[in-house]
Amino acid sequence: MDIGFQLYSARNHPLSDVLTMISRLGYKQAEGYGSLYTDPADLRARLDDNGLDMPTAHIGLDDLGRPEETLRLAETLGVSVVICPWLAPEQRPRDAAGWQGFGERLQELARPYQEAGLGFAYHNHDFEFARFGDRYAMDLLLGAAPSVMVEADIAWIARGETDPLPWLEANGSRIIAVHCKDLAAPGENADEDGWADFGHGVLPWGELIKTIVQKTGARYFVAEHDNPSDLERFASRSIAAVRSFGI
């Protein structure tokens, strides 16, 4: 399976250098994010020059609400799945009804993309695993958005003090992509905000990968680190770890 690289991991580095590096390391896919889309044709040319595809792309709520423009972007870049990546703190619902309402909003936002043949997914952080009664916010969202898929960020689920394994098993049919990301041991990697290179942290990735492969519909595996102190170290160690799990 081709492995992707979330370009947000390298946001503080020149894009041309990053694309050259990840191609050299063996990545075949790059996952985009908002500020990269100012010149889609140029970005497509840069990807082509490095033998990279962009099947998944993070696209903010405002741009998702402009489907004609965003569908043109997706066509130019060859995107197959558009992903809502983030809710700013002031946008986050405060109760169960609010999360259900946000799910209903996503369901409506998804429609023009799905009608155009694209997948539509939501990417989690930790705040979606706040509990309202006996349900997570994420489950309230998904219950109100039955056609919306998930890009599961396992490390953020764990940072939300939730065991990822049972949640993955319960929601496997909704998961189309996975962020390959890891947590450092408590007190370690403070300069990297407590994150670790994939496969070099504390998460049980051997067991997680087995569950993901056997019990979810994940088709895209994307390496990510929110704040790597050494970009090439992270990129090279992560793709090696992904391959070591047989993906």
Side-chain angles (χ1 to χ4, degrees):
M1 182 176 291
D2 292 338
I3 308 303
F5 182 92
Q6 170 49 259
L7 292 170
Y8 185 79
S9 308
R11 62 196 178 278
N12 297 318
H13 300 263
L15 179 62
S16 294
D17 293 348
V18 172
L19 297 179
T20 298
M21 178 194 70
I22 63 173
S23 177
R24 171 171 51 81
L25 293 174
Y27 290 91
K28 299 298 183 183
Q29 299 173 351
E31 185 171 77
Y33 68 95
S35 63
L36 296 179
Y37 306 142
T38 54
D39 188 338
D42 177 69
L43 177 56
R44 178 70 264 170
R46 293 184 188 217
L47 292 167
D48 289 343
D49 287 346
N50 288 281
L52 296 166
D53 293 322
M54 187 173 283
T56 62
H58 284 194
I59 297 175
L61 275 172
D62 288 345
D63 288 331
L64 289 171
R66 294 187 284 268
E68 290 186 8
E69 178 182 330
T70 299
L71 284 168
R72 287 195 298 269
L73 170 73
E75 182 177 9
T76 299
L77 296 178
V79 172
S80 299
V81 182
V82 297
I83 301 167
C84 179
W86 166 254
L87 271 182
E90 65 275 11
Q91 297 175 307
R92 296 171 194 170
R94 299 178 181 273
D95 56 24
W99 281 104
Q100 290 173 329
F102 178 61
E104 292 168 0
R105 179 184 177 190
L106 284 179
Q107 181 76 4
E108 287 300 310
L109 282 173
R111 183 176 301 163
Y113 302 99
Q114 293 164 341
E115 290 176 349
L118 300 184
F120 187 100
Y122 182 78
H123 168 275
N124 70 276
H125 288 77
D126 55 348
F127 56 83
E128 296 93 347
F129 287 86
R131 280 191 175 274
F132 295 92
D134 61 351
R135 302 186 71 189
Y136 296 120
M138 188 71 174
D139 296 329
L140 294 165
L141 181 164
L142 293 177
S147 72
V148 173
M149 307 300 282
V150 178
E151 180 176 59
D153 192 312
I154 311 298
W156 272 117
I157 295 175
R159 187 165 272 193
E161 300 183 353
T162 299
D163 183 350
L165 278 167
W167 193 85
L168 289 168
E169 292 177 356
N171 294 277
S173 65
R174 305 291 294 272
I175 296 169
I176 194 168
V178 171
H179 268 186
C180 298
K181 185 172 178 179
D182 220 328
L183 293 176
E188 294 185 3
N189 292 11
D191 63 331
E192 297 186 301
D193 300 333
W195 304 109
D197 299 339
F198 176 69
H200 293 266
V202 299
L203 294 180
W205 271 106
E207 188 176 4
L208 286 163
I209 289 292
K210 182 178 179 180
T211 297
I212 290 165
V213 169
Q214 294 181 353
K215 298 185 178 182
T216 81
R219 293 172 19 212
Y220 305 101
F221 291 78
V222 183
E224 186 188 41
H225 189 310
D226 283 19
N227 188 27
S229 61
D230 183 324
L231 183 64
E232 183 157 353
R233 181 211 70 211
F234 150 66
S236 61
R237 293 175 85 185
S238 295
I239 193 169
V242 172
R243 288 174 169 163
S244 75
F245 291 118
I247 296 176

